Each structure stands twice: as structure tokens, then as C-alpha cells.
Amino acid sequence: MGYETFTVEKRDGADWVTLNRPEVLNAISLQMVRELNDYFGGLFHDRDTRVVVLRGAGKAFCAGLDIKERAENRDAIPFAGGFSFQGYLADVYIKMRRCPQPIVSLVHGAACGGGFSFVLASDIRIAGESAKMNAAFIKLGLSACDMGCSYFLPRLVGTSVASELMLTGRFIHAPRALATGLVSEVVPDADLDATAQGYVDDLLAASPMGLRMTKEGLNLAIDAPSLEAAMAIENRNQLMTSASPNFREGMQAFLEKRKPNYVVE
Ligand SMILES: C/C=C/C(=O)SCCNC(=O)CCNC(=O)[C@H](O)C(C)(C)COP(=O)(O)OP(=O)(O)OC[C@H]1O[C@@H](n2cnc3c(N)ncnc32)[C@H](O)[C@@H]1OP(=O)(O)O
């Protein structure tokens, strides 16, 4: 399926996905929701794509819900088959979190509301110096407990900062985002792609199953009710990776002082 609201550039096992509605700061339209669901849904059975990079075209990452479109369709945002906009957009974040590929988000300019949640649902976050993010829902008269914000944000920055950000809708700028652990790195905007490429290279150097099992295991462990439950998930995933030929190759490569040649399992 070709997409109109974002582009997908395939580069050596990584998809570079660029939200592409710059005239409205990449605001989330109905069509974007449909297309993102299709794209992220397709990743579950895609062995060739091993990493996803998510970024925005123009001067911002994503300004959240397309307010103009929503205002014109005030109460009725239905999809065929009775899906609501709310539920269908929520599915995008769930797919981002559950798809096997790690997602690296590159934030420059504003990331608001549902756009902020794209950042939160990613696995690795890098901010440009211009980045500013907010739970803008509250400023529009909505609950800020939306699009996974109440799930992701406290886990990333703790309940104190999450409460402040969600209750006030204030922007968190790049330096504070780094200090609170919301992002891994802050770099000049012009260096975002090159910085991301470094992460992509590291991720692609891992064995494909090891990478998938790590994303899945970590995200399940975050929700696990006990140490024992988290370790049961670890044990299951480790049994699977240790049965893979890539584990034998990894050990052999270490012993022979060379880089491993991993295959896609
Ligand atoms: C389920 C999900 C819910 C949610 O996501 S709720 C949150 C919704 N989002 C927001 O409330 C953010 C709204 N936007 C803003 O507050 C500001 O923008 C920014 C701080 C992001 C950036 O401000 P600045 O740099 O001054 O740009 P600009 O002139 O406001 O915007 C450039 C053009 O983009 C349009 N635009 C910006 N955000 C949205 C949006 N969310 N929906 C639709 N259009 C948007 C504007 O109107 C304008 O367009 P024109 O040049 O024609 O006036």
C-alpha cells in the first residue's frame, strides 16, 4: 500500500518513516491513522524490516490531532465497521509497542498530544535541540490520560514529572527531556539523522531474534506483576534465542575475534 500522509524509505533493513503533512506540522488526520495502522500492523510479519526510524518533515515532529479536521467533524469520526477514531488511533500506539522492530524516534520542533505519544511509544528517543513536547490534550479541554500518555510517561520520567506535565500541558524542552530521562540524547537538529544512523547500525548488528526477543521481553517485564513473572518471560525468550544458530555464530565469532555473520531467523 502506498501512503499519502508519510513516506517510508527502505535502507538496508531499516525503514525511515517520515510523517509528511508539514503544512499542518504533521497533524494526525483520519487518513494518517488508517495508514499508520496499516504500516505498523504490517511489521508484525515482516522479517526484512528490523528497525524503524520515525521522524517528521518540515519544522516539527507532529502537532497531534488534526484539530481543523476534527472540529469540522465534531461528533462523528467513524470508520467503516464501527471503529471509533479514539480506538483506532489507540491501536497505532499498541502496534508500535508490540511490533517486533525497535522504533527510534527523532524529535525536532513540537511533539504535541498524540504526537508526543508517538515519541513515548518508541523504544529509543533522540531529541534535536529545538525539540519541545507536551501533553497538549489538557489544553484542548480533553483528559491528558490519552493515547498511552498515562501509561508511558510515568514509566519514563516518574510520577512527579508526569503529573506536572499532564496536568499543566507545559512543554518539556530538550535539555529537561534529557535530564529527566525522557530522551537518550540531545543533538543539533542537523545531526539527528546521522545520530540515528549510529543507533540503527548497532541495532542491525544484533542477531535478529535476539533483538526481537529483547524488545518483547523488556516491554512484557515492565508490566510483569513480579520478579518471578519477569524472569519466566526472560527464560522463555532466552531458550528461544539460545536454540538459534545465531547464538552459536555469536560465540564462534567471539572466539575467532571477528564480527558475527547473523542470519535472519
Ligand atoms: C487523540 C489525540 C489528541 C491530541 O493530540 S490533542 C493535542 C492537539 N494538538 C495541539 O493542541 C497542538 C496545536 N498546535 C500548537 O499548539 C502549535 O501549532 C505548535 C505549538 C505545535 C506550533 O506553533 P507554531 O510554531 O507557532 O506553528 P503554528 O503557526 O501554530 O502552526 C503552523 C500551521 O500548522 C497548523 N497546525 C498546527 N497544529 C495543528 C493541529 N494540531 N491541527 C491542525 N493544524 C495545526 C496551524 O494552524 C498553522 O496553519 P496555518 O499556517 O494555516 O495557520
Side-chain angles (χ1 to χ4, degrees):
M1 174 174 174
Y3 301 118
E4 290 182 13
T5 59
F6 54 89
T7 59
V8 180
E9 189 189 336
K10 295 195 171 290
R11 284 191 218 162
D12 305 324
D15 277 5
W16 289 68
V17 177
T18 309
L19 303 175
N20 195 26
R21 304 185 71 222
E23 66 287 356
V24 286
L25 310 186
N26 304 315
I28 305 167
S29 61
L30 298 172
Q31 188 180 357
M32 186 184 281
V33 175
R34 283 196 191 92
E35 293 185 349
L36 286 173
N37 260 298
D38 184 81
Y39 172 73
F40 284 112
L43 289 177
F44 284 74
H45 304 290
D46 179 350
R47 285 286 182 268
D48 298 327
T49 304
R50 290 189 279 139
V51 178
V52 175
V53 178
L54 183 61
R55 58 189 176 168
K59 71 171 192 173
F61 176 77
C62 174
L65 176 75
D66 186 325
I67 299 171
K68 185 164 185 287
E69 181 185 72
R70 179 61 186 258
E72 285 166 359
N73 297 278
R74 197 174 150 11
D75 292 316
I77 312 281
F79 283 92
F83 289 106
S84 67
F85 178 88
Q86 180 76 18
Y88 207 29
L89 178 54
D91 279 349
V92 173
Y93 304 95
I94 294 170
K95 286 174 183 167
M96 287 178 71
R97 189 63 158 193
R98 300 297 179 220
C99 70
Q101 298 81 354
I103 300 172
V104 182
S105 58
L106 310 185
V107 196
H108 76 291
C112 306
F116 186 25
S117 290
F118 288 149
V119 182
L120 300 178
S122 301
D123 300 285
I124 296 175
R125 301 160 206 82
I126 309 166
E129 286 169 348
S130 69
K132 56 177 189 177
M133 298 165 261
N134 75 344
F137 315 95
I138 192 84
K139 296 203 170 227
L140 275 189
L142 292 168
S143 163
C145 296
D146 202 15
M147 296 307 142
C149 199
S150 63
Y151 175 91
F152 294 120
L153 197 54
R155 283 170 170 76
L156 287 165
V157 300
T159 52
S160 177
V161 175
S163 300
E164 174 217 317
L165 294 177
M166 291 175 67
L167 293 169
T168 65
R170 282 185 190 175
F171 278 108
I172 180 164
H173 293 81
R176 189 173 179 217
L178 183 64
T180 53
L182 182 54
V183 300
S184 297
E185 244 184 283
V186 176
V187 300
D189 286 12
D191 295 347
L192 274 170
D193 285 1
T195 306
Q197 187 62 55
Y199 286 90
V200 169
D201 290 345
D202 282 353
L203 295 166
L204 291 178
S207 86
M209 195 197 288
L211 196 61
R212 289 199 301 275
M213 295 285 105
T214 300
K215 171 165 176 171
E216 187 209 47
L218 177 60
N219 289 330
L220 288 176
I222 286 169
D223 297 333
S226 65
L227 173 63
E228 287 75 9
M231 294 193 79
I233 295 162
E234 286 188 351
N235 291 346
R236 185 204 63 172
N237 285 8
Q238 205 62 295
L239 277 173
M240 288 172 73
T241 52
S242 57
S244 153
N246 280 335
F247 177 45
R248 188 150 296 284
E249 166 62 11
M251 292 190 290
Q252 201 63 35
F254 174 80
L255 295 172
E256 294 171 9
K257 301 187 188 300
R258 60 171 172 82
K259 281 191 177 174
N261 295 310
Y262 291 129
V263 294
V264 175
E265 311 107 316

